[in-house]
Structures are given as C-alpha cells and as structure tokens.
Amino acid sequence: MPQPIALPLVPAQLADLLLAPAADDNLLHQQLAAQVDPRDARRLMAAAHGIAADRLWAAA
C-alpha cells in the first residue's frame, strides 16, 4: 500500500490541489485531518475552497 504524502498546509497550495482535474475533496480532507487537528483541517479546506472559487471566478 502506498504511503500517503504530506499535504501542504498553505491554503493557496491546497487550492491548487482542489483545482486539479481528478481532485477528490473528501480524500484531501481526510488526508489533511490525519496530518493536523480535524478542526484545523476544516479551516484550511474552507480557506482553500474560497481561494479556488476566486480563481475560477477570475478565469470565467
């Protein structure tokens, strides 16, 4: 079984991962919650979603 990689703890870098074509939001959240406190993981994911939405809006 492959080892999970360490996810970045910077919302802008997480946004890059969320915008990837094969991104799985739930899997990213689970992996992030395994690295940090689940509450911190939710906060990081919320910030990353906001950044990703801003990028999509700007690209439209």
Side-chain angles (χ1 to χ4, degrees):
M1 175 181 242
Q3 293 292 327
I5 61 167
L7 293 175
L9 300 179
V10 178
Q13 292 174 336
L14 286 171
D16 292 338
L17 295 175
L18 287 171
L19 292 172
D24 182 348
D25 180 69
N26 289 327
L27 181 60
L28 287 174
H29 182 261
Q30 288 173 0
Q31 289 178 342
L32 191 59
Q35 279 182 239
V36 297
D37 179 68
R39 182 173 290 170
D40 291 337
R42 284 192 301 274
R43 290 180 181 144
L44 285 167
M45 289 298 286
H49 275 104
I51 293 168
D54 288 345
R55 289 180 184 173
L56 287 174
W57 185 259

